[in-house]
Structure formats: C-alpha cells, structure tokens
Amino acid sequence: MTDWKTRTKLIHAGARRSQYGEMSEAIFLTQGFVYDSAEQAEARFIESGPDEFIYARYGNPTVRIFEERMAAIEGTEDAFATASGMAAVNGALTSMLKAGDHVVAARALFGSCLYVLEILGRFGVEVTLVDGTDLDQWRAAVREGTKAVFLESVSNPTLEVIDVKSVAEIAHAVGATVVVDNVFATPTFSKAVELGADVVVYSATKHIDGSGRCLGGIVCGTKHYIRKVLEPYLKHTGAALSPFNAWVMLKGMETLDLRVRQQAASALAIAEALNGHDKLVRVIYPGLKDHAQHAIAMEQMGAGGTVVTLEVEGGQEGAFRFLNALEIVTISNNLGDAKSIITHPATTTHQRLPAEQKVLLGITPGLVRLSIGLEDPEDLLADLTRALAAV
Ligand SMILES: *Cc1c(COP(=O)(O)O)cnc(C)c1O
C-alpha cells in the first residue's frame, strides 16, 4: 500500500471487511463492543490491538478505516478522527500544551481557531500572533520553550499562503511542533508533511465530505503523537466522530481528487476572468500570478485551491448587492461543497472580531469568500458577472 499513489489510496487504503465480505465499507453503527470473557475485556482495557475496539468514543471500525485512509494520504504514521474540524484543531493543540508553554501562531486564522488560542491563553498558555507571511516575525517570535507553532497553510478568508517549509525550519530549530490546519490546501494538493509539518489537521466537513452533509475532522501525525498525546485527550473529552459521519467521509474520499481538481480548475478560470473587473477592487487567488505568494503556492500545492476571494466596490453595501443578486451561487458559510457558496466574512464567520483586528487581517467590508463548486464554470462566471452588474 505504501507504493500506491494518492488516487489509489483514496479508494482502498485502510480497507477492512467484516466476515460478510461487503464491497462498500460497512457502517458499524454501534456504541459498544462485546467481549468473549471478562478476561478479554480486562486485557482490552489494558492494551487494545488495531482490530480491537472498546467503545465508540475511543474508536470504531468505520472510523478506523477513515483514520487509516487519511494517514495514508497525508503520509503520516497514524491519525485520529474527531466530531468536527474545530474538535481536531482544539485537540491537536490542547492535548500537547500546558500552563507556561508558549505557542506562536499566524494571526490570519479562521475565527474559531483564534478562539481556541484565546481559550489556551485563559489556561496560562502564552500565545504570540505573527504575520504568517513574514518569516522574520516567526524568527523573532519563537524561542527556547516554544512548544508549538500553528498556522493555516492558506488562510481563511484572505488566502495568504504561508511558507510551511521555512516556518517548519524556524520552529524545529527550537524544538517546536508544527501544527498545520490544511483545509484550504485540501488533501489533494497537500504536501504538508513533506514540507515539515508534524501534525496536519483537517475539517473533513469541507472538501472531504464535499457535499455539505456532515461535520467531521481529523488529526494526522506520528504514532507517538496520535496514540500517546492526542488519543488520551480526545477519548476522555469526547469529541468522537460518529461512525455514520466517518462513512460519509469515506464515500467523499472516493471522489475527492476528481472534485477538488475540477473545482481548482474552475476557480482559476473564474479568478482569471474576474481579475481587473471594474466592480472589483481586488481578486485574491493564489493561482494568479499577481498573488503575493503565488510562487510559494505553486511549490506547496501546485495549484491555487478551490476558493477565490473578491473585494467588491462599495464596501458592505456593494458586497450585499452582489450576494443578493446571485442566482446559482448560494449564500452560506461552508466551503469545498459541490455547490458554489459565497460568504461575507466581516458580518458572519469573522463578525466577532474587533474592528481593528479585521483591518489587520484584511477582512474589509467589501470582502467576499467564494467557494467554487462543481457547476459548469461558464454558468458560474455568467452568474457572477451578472450579479456584479448590480453592484
Ligand atoms: C471550517 C474550518 C475549520 C473548522 O471546521 P468545522 O468542521 O466547521 O469544525 C477549521 N479551520 C478552517 C481553516 C476551516 O475552514
């Protein structure tokens, strides 16, 4: 299996079949497992083997297929699935930190990721936020005793691309663990581990499901980190992925590569067509040559991803007119869905942030985040162009 290419692993890695030899992965919708004897139960609580389960909060066969498949894709020794992407981010960081530890994070983060850092601060973890695209700031912020660095490899929603390889070198020089939220890079374009990430986190809710059905998350890392650091925290705090949701994610993985490549190709075509439009202040897309980190994006992902961020003329009023005039693209806040989705971060996903922080993060009143779906890109472009005329 280790020789298989990603597209083969997406279909077959981690497969396990019951005695019935089912073709499609089974949903083991069970909370518990029975033991042949009291002695077997005792032994399993001391140390469970890879095919032995105790309780769905600790692990489940369907969830285990998902974990093994994701570890195979990312090239990590192991993985642990969670109930949502945020449970994965929180688990990945909180499980390894304690009061007095120091964390350095890129400040351009999803609102909930910033909130997790705030919680850590309340429990005595010192957090330093830096401009993730400025390597000098990372160099100045890390120190002996920096336990972890945390970043979104492509930030939500401003699509800053962080040079993971250089940040990992800076972090590793002081012995810090590099935790990468890789949602926007997607498993298809991810080379996070090759670039030096120690822990890779996904919200599976996004591209992995890909049809906007279920919440889910995953943390990928070394066997030691997953089993000795993360698993005790997650299994006792309860953010377990439901077996049904794991099964949805497995079905999503079968088409993940096809979907994401098509979505990225459509995103590039749309970004190129809209770049320079007179109702747009800016088109931000890492696949465009004028993106500040275009070269890094190409090196790290080989593509620009599936999200295009636009700054509409006329601030919030212009942005709202644009959103309200769209017919195909729907107003919502998921991304990576087969359906194209548009979000106004300043009033939704990032509403909670103080005004000065929004300015610092580039979340202006005219900014909209456009997740490109699987519709015909010509129809999408026509919808977007027609709606821009209403601005
Ligand atoms: C959506 C998202 C999350 C959170 O995932 P949920 O599954 O909604 O909990 C975390 N990080 C990034 C970058 C995201 O886009």
Side-chain angles (χ1 to χ4, degrees):
M1 189 193 80
T2 45
D3 304 340
W4 291 351
K5 298 199 168 39
T6 299
R7 287 197 287 182
T8 309
K9 288 180 183 168
L10 278 164
I11 311 293
H12 293 292
R16 46 174 78 210
R17 291 198 165 95
S18 77
Q19 72 273 30
Y20 301 115
E22 65 280 357
M23 170 55 85
S24 177
E25 293 78 356
I27 310 176
F28 288 92
L29 208 52
T30 178
Q31 134 284 326
F33 300 85
V34 296
Y35 313 104
D36 294 335
S37 64
E39 289 77 9
Q40 190 187 48
E42 180 189 30
R44 213 169 277 183
F45 271 79
I46 295 167
E47 172 107 63
S48 306
D51 279 315
E52 295 168 339
F53 298 94
I54 297 173
Y55 192 64
R57 177 151 47 75
Y58 292 21
N60 169 285
T62 313
V63 174
R64 195 67 196 129
I65 303 174
F66 174 54
E67 292 169 339
E68 288 182 354
R69 197 161 292 176
M70 280 304 302
I73 304 305
E74 288 301 315
T76 56
E77 290 170 358
D78 212 340
F80 202 95
T82 55
S84 70
M86 284 323 304
V89 170
N90 179 62
L93 291 171
T94 308
S95 67
M96 75 164 100
L97 295 168
K98 60 178 188 321
D101 286 342
H102 179 231
V103 175
V104 182
R107 67 174 168 231
L109 294 176
F110 179 53
S112 300
C113 292
L114 282 169
Y115 195 79
V116 167
L117 295 175
E118 270 181 52
I119 297 171
L120 287 170
R122 263 196 253 152
F123 287 88
V125 174
E126 190 191 338
V127 180
T128 307
L129 295 178
V130 298
D131 173 348
T133 62
D134 183 348
L135 293 176
D136 286 336
Q137 290 197 22
W138 288 103
R139 278 187 203 102
V142 300
R143 58 180 195 232
E144 293 302 324
T146 302
K147 205 62 190 295
V149 308
F150 176 60
L151 57 96
E152 288 174 13
S153 46
V154 181
S155 72
N156 179 2
T158 48
L159 310 183
E160 286 181 355
V161 183
I162 294 184
D163 180 348
V164 177
K165 194 169 173 196
S166 301
V167 173
E169 278 166 14
I170 294 165
H172 288 157
V174 297
T177 300
V178 178
V179 182
V180 174
D181 179 334
N182 219 24
V183 167
F184 280 57
T186 78
T188 289
F189 299 129
S190 171
K191 301 187 186 91
V193 169
E194 260 172 58
L195 297 168
D198 302 300
V199 178
V200 185
V201 178
Y202 286 101
S203 162
T205 315
K206 312 292 168 55
H207 305 83
I208 295 173
D209 176 325
S211 297
R213 296 162 289 193
C214 292
L215 286 174
I218 188 108
V219 184
C220 305
T222 61
K223 189 142 230 101
H224 173 80
Y225 170 81
I226 297 293
R227 295 297 148 200
K228 302 289 181 223
V229 180
L230 183 75
E231 181 188 310
Y233 177 83
L234 283 172
K235 79 181 187 187
H236 296 299
T237 53
L241 182 65
S242 121
F244 178 80
N245 290 9
W247 178 82
V248 170
M249 299 311 173
L250 284 167
K251 293 295 113 185
M253 286 178 86
E254 293 181 351
T255 56
L256 177 71
D257 191 87
L258 279 173
R259 285 186 283 108
V260 166
R261 285 186 196 282
Q262 179 57 56
Q263 286 166 304
S266 298
L268 176 62
I270 288 164
E272 279 175 343
L274 293 180
N275 205 10
H277 192 288
D278 62 1
K279 296 286 177 68
L280 294 172
V281 182
R282 292 190 287 167
V283 175
I284 308 171
Y285 182 65
L288 290 179
K289 292 197 175 61
D290 64 10
H291 187 282
Q293 296 94 35
H294 174 69
I296 297 169
M298 290 302 116
E299 201 183 308
Q300 284 190 183
M301 305 192 287
T306 66
V307 176
V308 180
T309 296
L310 307 171
E311 187 171 354
V312 182
E313 286 282 359
Q316 181 172 323
E317 196 190 332
F320 276 25
R321 274 176 194 256
F322 175 52
L323 262 62
N324 292 335
L326 289 162
E327 284 172 3
I328 300 172
V329 180
T330 44
I331 305 168
S332 186
N333 34 255
N334 191 17
L335 60 94
D337 196 308
K339 299 182 178 79
S340 291
I341 289 173
I342 199 154
T343 310
H344 185 248
T347 53
T348 61
T349 52
H350 291 70
Q351 184 183 139
R352 206 182 60 83
L353 296 184
E356 59 291 354
Q357 209 173 345
K358 283 183 196 160
V359 173
L360 198 62
L361 297 180
I363 301 169
T364 54
L367 199 82
V368 297
R369 185 189 77 192
L370 175 62
S371 168
I372 301 297
L374 288 171
E375 302 92 341
D376 191 303
E378 280 182 32
D379 288 340
L380 290 177
L381 189 57
D383 193 33
L384 293 161
T385 312
R386 200 188 31 71
L388 280 173
V391 173

